[in-house]
Amino acid sequence: MQFGVFTVSDITPDPHTGRTPDDTERVRNILAIAEHADEVGLDVFATGEHHNPPFVASSPTTMLGYLAARTKHITLSTATTLITTNDPVRLAEEYAMLQVISDGRMDLMMGRGNTGPVYPWFGQDIRQGIPLAIENYALLRRLWTEDVVNWEGKFRTPLQGFTSTPRPLDGVPPFVWHGSIRSPEIAEQAAFYGDGFFHNNIFWPMSHTKQMVQFYRQRFEHYGHGRADQAIVGLGGQVFMRKNSQDAVNEFRPYFDVAPVYGHGPSLEEFADQTPLTVGSPQQVIDRYAAMRHEVGHYQRQLFLIDHAGLPLKTVFEQMDILAGEVVPVLRKEMESDRPADVPSDPPSHADRVAAARAAGQVREQQAAAADHWTGKTAENDMDAADAVTR
């Protein structure tokens, strides 16, 4: 099973000092967190995508491309890639490029995001969020799996004879998760394609998470991808740990109270009771997260929000050290102790997907693209051609 960390990239003042890092410092700290996660042996680092303050991670592929060269083992992912407001043509190009650069050591999570104003900023209507997610992802898959695409839809200009470059590594697209907190349509989409489903349940009680995951599992089996218990599931969460649980509570409370995502609302105790947020000793984290498989079934990826709410970089490193050194080894052993042999313990790696595609005869050698009769022409040439037609 995979264990890792994700960032929402918030810029939040330290409640003790009042100091607020600038954008440059925060970005560089996030890169340092990812490198430290690789060094201590965590399995995954994922970054969100935001286009509004107080969040700074607006270009996930730039960040992850840099990290591909700086890390050795960790899987690089997103937590979320906005399928609604990004052009699927750009997504196809950018993530295939990241796949090539990282030698397949990546995957990505598609989602609609939870910031309403982002839609008009990118020329879209939030009321079309679900249809956008469905149409854009269908096009993205075609761009990755077909060498030449002719396409026409509702939300972007048509494509005629279009080839997305670079082509996916070894002819196999990246593995895709679909992330959703509350939309069953997104769980349905994941199930339809046989992709992974990630329920980032940092805001919700386990009863809601269980309902969403069960729905995805049922639909995964309905579409013939395998048994419900073999579906690929990931969960989000958040922890803050110290050897003594009360020390953890006392230290984390000021940060919780100012957190831009969930601060200024329920108390720390109320929030921890109703969501996966666990503030206490490493053993408390182990006990709580090990029990989640009894609610949602055996799952493959657990990511923790670890750097939120203005926590100093030194403290974040300490949390990752505890996570990797004391929590993950025990959790991994516990999670695998009763997993059926035919239920996957990990999401499929790039090598797994290549082997499966080859066994099914679905991998083709990359071919040089046919001549492109448009690229390289000047705007004046095109205008002359248009004038000739009108004359």
Side-chain angles (χ1 to χ4, degrees):
M1 184 170 169
Q2 291 183 337
F3 294 90
V5 295
F6 73 99
T7 182
V8 295
S9 76
D10 62 302
I11 296 181
T12 304
D14 186 315
H16 294 293
T17 66
R19 182 179 179 277
T20 304
D22 63 19
D23 290 4
T24 299
E25 180 182 347
R26 183 67 169 112
V27 169
R28 289 174 177 169
N29 283 352
I30 291 171
L31 297 174
I33 288 165
E35 292 184 55
H36 192 70
D38 186 51
E39 291 167 0
V40 299
L42 294 173
D43 302 309
V44 184
F45 169 80
T47 174
E49 177 186 345
H50 294 275
H51 300 276
N52 57 298
F55 307 99
V56 75
S58 59
S59 182
T61 52
T62 304
M63 182 180 293
L64 297 179
Y66 171 86
L67 289 170
R70 298 284 299 181
T71 59
K72 295 180 179 179
H73 306 292
I74 202 164
T75 295
L76 303 168
S77 189
T78 57
T80 300
T81 296
L82 299 180
I83 187 62
T84 46
T85 51
N86 281 305
D87 180 2
V89 172
R90 289 298 292 146
L91 292 178
E93 294 172 340
E94 290 176 349
Y95 284 95
M97 181 68 78
L98 177 61
Q99 187 192 33
V100 170
I101 290 171
S102 67
D103 198 25
R105 188 164 46 90
M106 56 79 66
D107 54 32
L108 68 159
M109 186 195 310
M110 299 295 182
R112 293 185 297 137
N114 58 8
T115 306
V118 74
Y119 284 81
W121 294 341
F122 289 88
Q124 300 296 350
D125 184 343
I126 192 172
R127 294 169 294 185
Q128 299 296 320
I130 294 293
L132 273 165
I134 293 170
E135 180 176 297
N136 283 355
Y137 184 61
L139 173 56
L140 175 61
R141 285 181 63 93
R142 288 191 59 188
L143 291 167
W144 276 338
T145 57
E146 299 177 24
D147 290 336
V148 180
V149 173
N150 296 297
W151 177 90
E152 185 170 351
K154 179 179 179 181
F155 297 108
R156 78 172 316 280
T157 52
L159 298 173
Q160 295 182 351
F162 181 78
T163 298
S164 174
T165 60
R167 304 305 298 148
L169 180 66
D170 300 317
V172 176
F175 183 71
V176 171
W177 302 81
H178 299 258
S180 179
I181 298 174
R182 59 187 178 274
S183 301
E185 296 92 341
I186 302 304
E188 174 78 14
Q189 184 181 40
F192 177 80
Y193 289 109
D195 295 337
F197 178 63
F198 192 93
H199 192 261
N200 196 5
N201 55 331
I202 60 174
F203 304 116
W204 293 84
M206 183 51 68
S207 58
H208 174 77
T209 300
K210 180 179 180 179
Q211 184 179 27
M212 288 287 287
V213 172
Q214 283 184 340
F215 173 73
Y216 159 70
R217 290 188 185 279
Q218 291 165 1
R219 301 303 291 169
F220 180 94
E221 182 171 305
H222 168 79
Y223 287 115
H225 300 298
R227 297 195 316 265
D229 64 339
Q230 295 173 321
I232 305 300
V233 173
L235 298 183
Q238 185 180 7
V239 297
F240 188 87
M241 299 166 287
R242 291 301 183 200
K243 183 176 181 180
N244 180 284
S245 60
Q246 192 57 51
D247 289 343
V249 171
N250 293 339
E251 183 176 350
F252 187 67
R253 188 185 302 279
Y255 295 97
F256 174 88
D257 289 343
V258 301
V261 173
Y262 48 49
H264 316 287
S267 70
L268 171 59
E269 286 76 14
E270 291 169 331
F271 203 89
D273 181 61
Q274 292 296 314
T275 77
L277 173 64
T278 306
V279 181
S281 67
Q283 189 61 51
Q284 286 175 293
V285 171
I286 291 168
D287 292 343
R288 191 170 194 191
Y289 280 83
M292 289 184 182
R293 74 190 191 279
H294 302 309
E295 300 291 334
V296 302
H298 288 280
Y299 60 109
Q300 288 72 33
R301 177 176 286 182
Q302 175 67 60
L303 299 184
F304 298 99
L305 178 58
I306 207 77
D307 68 332
H308 191 223
L311 287 167
L313 184 60
K314 176 178 179 293
T315 303
V316 176
F317 279 10
E318 291 168 353
Q319 292 298 303
M320 285 194 288
D321 292 344
I322 297 170
L323 193 64
E326 300 181 43
V327 173
V328 166
V330 181
L331 263 182
R332 198 190 306 277
K333 183 177 180 180
E334 181 70 18
M335 294 293 203
E336 300 309 316
S337 65
D338 55 357
R339 187 189 299 268
D342 57 353
V343 171
S345 58
D346 298 308
S349 66
H350 178 70
D352 294 336
R353 288 169 60 76
V354 170
R358 285 177 176 163
Q362 296 174 343
V363 174
R364 293 177 296 166
E365 296 297 324
Q366 290 190 13
Q367 303 291 329
D372 183 336
H373 301 293
W374 296 101
T375 302
K377 283 193 173 185
T378 67
E380 289 78 7
N381 292 148
D382 290 340
M383 291 175 64
D384 290 344
D387 289 341
V389 170
T390 57
R391 288 197 300 269

